[in-house]
Amino acid sequence: MDSSSTYTEQELVDGLRSRNQKIFSYLYDQYSSTLYGVVVKVLNDRALAGDVLQDVFLKIWKNIDQYDEERGRLFTWMLNICRNTAIDVLRSKSHKLDQKIQNITDDVHVKNEPLVVHMQVDHLGFSKVLEHLSKDQRNLIDLAYYKGCTQEEIARVLDIPLGTVKTRMRTALNQLKQFVKNIDK
């Protein structure tokens, strides 16, 4: 098959399950830059992100039989593996909480570097969707999902009660869910 071929999600899953290396190469070519952007966002370390990305694709290759089409799309499953692997690395390196926390605008809008990775992630609409949240809600999402902070850590960092963190997080996630539902209509 030539490099201009495209595959349905089911063809990708079937190809991975049958250990088809062409399908795996296609998957890597199509998704590596987006997943790399997620790893960089979590770790804030481009050198380490390349190694973690290789681990992510190795996990995808080895664990494809654990993917369940009933529970979600292939990309969502891969994205969860990516985010969880990056957070595991972040925690295993015993990063201090201060190193995990940065202003969300500092991470997302770096203007003195090429924004190719950010643009790939933006094609998925993450930046546009997050714009519908307040700055405080975006900060919560950033701390929890990209920095790997627990709700207890978020409460300490923001100096607010744990119950408030839980309520605000639930509200933010519900708003995101509603927004995405409205897009699908």
Side-chain angles (χ1 to χ4, degrees):
M1 298 185 168
D2 61 63
S3 61
S4 64
S5 296
T6 58
Y7 300 96
T8 65
E9 184 169 305
Q10 191 59 52
E11 289 171 331
L12 289 173
V13 171
D14 293 343
L16 288 171
R17 286 186 174 148
S18 66
R19 302 298 186 222
N20 183 319
Q21 290 185 356
K22 287 183 182 178
I23 295 283
F24 184 73
S25 293
Y26 174 84
L27 192 80
Y28 186 88
D29 291 343
Q30 295 300 310
Y31 295 104
S32 61
S33 62
T34 300
L35 296 179
Y36 176 78
V38 172
V39 175
V40 168
K41 176 79 170 135
V42 172
L43 298 178
N44 202 22
D45 182 339
R46 291 181 184 275
L48 183 57
D51 293 337
V52 172
L53 183 66
Q54 297 305 316
D55 291 342
V56 167
F57 274 94
L58 186 60
K59 286 180 181 183
I60 290 168
W61 179 256
K62 287 183 174 181
N63 298 316
I64 187 62
D65 291 329
Q66 294 177 8
Y67 169 66
D68 181 3
E69 292 91 349
E70 299 291 320
R71 297 188 68 202
R73 301 197 61 182
L74 177 64
F75 177 75
T76 305
W77 179 74
M78 293 186 330
L79 188 62
N80 283 328
I81 289 174
C82 179
R83 187 178 76 75
N84 291 341
T85 302
I87 289 172
D88 288 347
V89 168
L90 188 67
R91 288 181 176 162
S92 72
K93 295 207 42 113
S94 301
H95 286 267
K96 293 180 182 170
L97 188 57
D98 292 337
Q99 291 174 323
K100 289 195 272 184
I101 301 163
Q102 296 174 2
N103 187 336
I104 190 168
T105 57
D106 292 341
D107 279 349
V108 177
H109 302 291
V110 178
K111 294 183 180 177
N112 58 355
E113 294 182 17
L115 292 179
V116 176
V117 171
H118 174 70
M119 293 172 106
Q120 283 289 344
V121 172
D122 193 44
H123 285 295
L124 300 173
F126 292 148
S127 296
K128 295 289 183 200
V129 171
L130 290 178
E131 287 176 3
H132 288 80
L133 298 176
S134 70
K135 182 179 179 182
D136 289 340
Q137 289 173 321
R138 283 193 310 268
N139 197 25
L140 282 174
I141 297 295
D142 182 59
L143 290 169
Y145 288 93
Y146 292 112
K147 302 299 184 207
C149 293
T150 65
Q151 291 181 335
E152 291 83 8
E153 290 173 326
I154 294 170
R156 267 186 276 141
V157 168
L158 299 178
D159 196 28
I160 57 177
L162 178 59
T164 303
V165 170
K166 290 180 178 189
T167 300
R168 289 179 183 174
M169 183 69 75
R170 185 174 35 255
T171 301
L173 292 174
N174 284 335
Q175 285 180 351
L176 287 173
K177 184 177 180 180
Q178 280 303 111
F179 181 75
V180 171
K181 278 185 181 179
N182 291 336
I183 290 174
D184 288 340
K185 289 183 180 181

